[in-house]
Amino acid sequence: MSNYSLQDIQQLAFTGVEKGQPLIIAGPCSAESEQQTLDTAKAVSAIGVKVFRAGIWKPRTMPGGFEGVGDNGLRWLQRVRQETGMSIATEVATVEHVKAALDAGIDVLWVGARTSANPFAMQDLAESLHGHDHVTVLVKNPLTPDLDLWLGALQRLLNAGITRLGAVHRGFSSAGAHIYRNDPQWHIPFELRRLAPNMTLLCDPSHIGGKREYVEPLAQQALDMGFDGLMIECHCHPDNALSDSAQQVTPDALKGILNRLVVRSGLPIEDELALLRQQIDDCDHELLAVLARRMSVSREIGQFKKAHNLRVLQPARYQAVIHARLEEGKHLGLTGDFTQLIMQAIHEESVRQQLSL
Ligand code: PEP
Ligand code: MN
């Protein structure tokens, strides 16, 4: 096994992608049939996409969903390359997938978020890739916002001699309802860029947003922050897609998005102010989601009080809560006045909501 460091990873180049232009990888979440795969591929190739993605082995969170077409899809991807000239990319999660994909000559393998989170799986994948240093491997961030896990996954591949590496930011899982399907936490990919400055860093706005209307604004945001390219899910008939239907765009919509995206030069990813503002936005998204969750629990309490003939306002409980929160706030470095103001506003809204039931 070799001893490469993250500094050894070089920028990925793909035939036909001009230097300075974002690398666009597009295609369906899943290959579903030969027809759907080829129709989508021809349509995205016609708008200038050079790398086609399609999952054939699908890691689904819950059992019983569509788990991909399996090895059959490899032939369809080969046809895509023959007929359009695009490079072909698919997700691998096991040693068997890697072997089948290498035998089929797949150009780009990506490791998904559920796999990059597992060091045993990453070690197995890395060992199965040993000696195949011509292949390009993209590593999506793990589900949890843990930079070390992401770095560790990349390092295992590097140790196996794979230097054509890139990273894909697809956001992080978080509990509760949020505006985005996966929380961007942009400071994590920024830190990765600092540690591996030459590595191609892509953004996957489809999996971050989870809804097609978020793809364009997130894609623009990513380019503004200096990401090298985008992985976008695109399907000829997104509403009928067997996986990730809500976030896939049609080839026509993709064409519009790509035409409207502005590539600004000279905006370094290290732009401190942009990074800090991004963190503020992330915090605000979290705050609103937590407040919404709190109000919903509060309404449940309201229903309980109503059912049991209890008063909405319970002064002793309120005093105890305020006291505990002031103490907690103090430990976190918040002034008493501020904590009191916030807690009062939240409590007033809770009472309003319970009274209106
Ligand atoms: C995918 O790209 O379709 C996929 C399953 O992505 P992720 O691993 O980011 O969830
Ligand atoms: Mn998907």
Side-chain angles (χ1 to χ4, degrees), residues 29 53 58-59 91 110 112-114 140 170 207 233 244:
C29 178
R53 65 149 282 156
K58 298 302 296 179
E91 174 172 351
W110 85 80
R114 289 157 193 77
K140 289 195 166 196
R170 49 78 78 200
H207 285 89
E233 286 191 339
D244 288 350

Side-chain angles (χ1 to χ4, degrees), residues 102-115:
L102 291 175
D103 287 349
I106 302 290
D107 306 291
V108 181
L109 309 181
W110 85 80
V111 179
R114 289 157 193 77
T115 310

